[in-house]
Amino acid sequence: MSQSHTYDVDAMLRRIRNLEAVQNRFVLERGDVTKAISICLVSRSHLLLVGLPGIAKTTQVRLAAAHIRGSKFFYTQLTPFSTVEDLFGPVDIVAYKEGVRRRVGTGMLQEAHVAVVDEIYNGNEAVLKSLLSPMYERVFAEQGRAEPIPLRTLMGTTNSVPDEEERQEKGLTAFHDRWLFRFVVDDIKSDSNFMRMLWTPDIDFHAYEPDPNATVTVDELEHLAQLSEKVRVPVAIYE
């Protein structure tokens, strides 16, 4: 990473605010989520959106991820039949025949800076527990060693969350605790915003080109993270 004096912090923050404005233009009445996404990208934290299908949960997190220049992006949707391979890739059969157990991880979650997992609570216990170390320690166990991974934030969406008793029965309490932000999102309430939504075009992510003035790089996010660690929170806030 470049030396810190080469960074224009004001310009970075301005571009992050522009990124928030882009989200708020496409996804209405979701300003609190927009701000939380920015915080997660800087602080390497994770965000969960809970809500009914069709209310742009996935659209918003994919839109934010598209504005991180130089990053690798991972996306998948879980079902009760999903396996760990759907997140981290299949076992390398050629290597396995030679006595080496490793995964073909190209393009999988362990390479990603930003990951989006749809319907995340549809995953079974084995799949969700496999995310514990990547989410908390930013490591992925390969060949008996914990290898560091570049993951900044994992953003999950779900239609519903298992209640506390079910989470305890399935051993998912620790997994649920990984979400720094959890939002219940709803349909648009304002009639005028509903009309705006009807006039807002859908995003074709295959062709989408973000405005350079609304993008940040992975290195810039890491620099902001280092600066944020120097912030002294007043005692009154802790209390």
Side-chain angles (χ1 to χ4, degrees):
M1 189 172 65
S2 304
Q3 297 297 316
S4 60
H5 66 269
T6 64
Y7 289 98
D8 185 337
V9 175
D10 289 337
M12 282 188 279
L13 295 176
R14 184 166 58 251
R15 284 185 274 118
I16 287 178
R17 286 192 289 271
N18 290 341
L19 166 55
E20 294 173 354
V22 171
Q23 294 175 67
N24 291 334
R25 188 163 66 246
F26 281 99
V27 185
L28 306 177
E29 299 182 6
R30 202 75 62 79
D32 51 354
V33 175
T34 298
K35 185 63 68 176
I37 288 175
S38 296
I39 295 171
C40 285
L41 288 170
V42 170
S43 66
R44 301 189 76 182
S45 302
H46 310 296
L47 175 142
L48 178 68
L49 299 183
V50 185
L52 296 174
I55 55 176
K57 301 187 300 295
T58 306
T59 295
Q60 181 165 12
V61 293
R62 289 189 67 183
L63 180 60
H67 288 251
I68 313 303
R69 287 184 282 124
S71 67
K72 291 186 178 181
F73 174 70
F74 173 79
Y75 170 83
T76 193
Q77 179 174 327
L78 296 184
T79 74
F81 305 103
S82 296
T83 66
V84 175
E85 284 72 18
D86 294 315
L87 294 174
F88 302 108
V91 172
D92 186 333
I93 299 300
V94 174
Y96 189 74
K97 290 179 178 178
E98 297 176 355
V100 178
R101 192 181 190 282
R102 66 187 178 207
R103 294 188 180 275
V104 181
T106 304
M108 304 307 290
L109 188 144
Q110 62 267 41
E111 290 190 346
H113 297 89
V114 179
V116 173
V117 181
D118 259 343
E119 307 300 343
I120 194 163
Y121 275 100
N122 279 351
N124 57 51
E125 296 172 47
V127 170
L128 297 187
K129 288 181 178 179
S130 73
L131 289 167
L132 289 174
S133 293
M135 290 176 70
Y136 185 64
E137 302 173 70
R138 301 310 195 287
V139 297
F140 173 66
E142 185 78 292
Q143 301 183 68
R145 297 189 302 273
E147 302 288 348
I149 60 175
L151 183 67
R152 291 206 70 81
T153 183
L154 188 149
M155 304 183 195
T157 72
T158 184
N159 296 336
S160 62
V161 176
D163 60 31
E164 184 176 0
E165 182 178 352
E166 185 178 355
R167 294 199 302 270
Q168 290 177 346
E169 288 177 357
K170 293 183 176 180
L172 296 178
T173 300
F175 174 77
H176 192 66
D177 286 344
R178 294 296 190 267
W179 307 111
L180 177 63
F181 289 100
R182 307 165 194 163
F183 289 95
V184 177
V185 294
D186 207 344
D187 290 322
I188 294 175
K189 301 298 183 184
S190 162
D191 288 344
S192 60
N193 281 337
F194 183 77
M195 291 297 294
R196 282 181 59 196
M197 184 269 294
L198 294 178
W199 289 324
T200 301
D202 292 335
I203 304 171
D204 179 0
F205 284 106
H206 296 291
Y208 182 75
E209 292 291 340
D211 180 352
N213 293 318
T215 64
V216 288
T217 67
V218 173
D219 283 353
E220 288 173 335
L221 290 172
E222 185 58 32
H223 181 66
L224 291 175
Q226 293 174 9
L227 293 180
S228 71
E229 293 175 358
K230 300 178 182 178
V231 174
R232 293 293 173 260
V233 180
V235 173
I237 298 297
Y238 280 111
E239 292 175 346

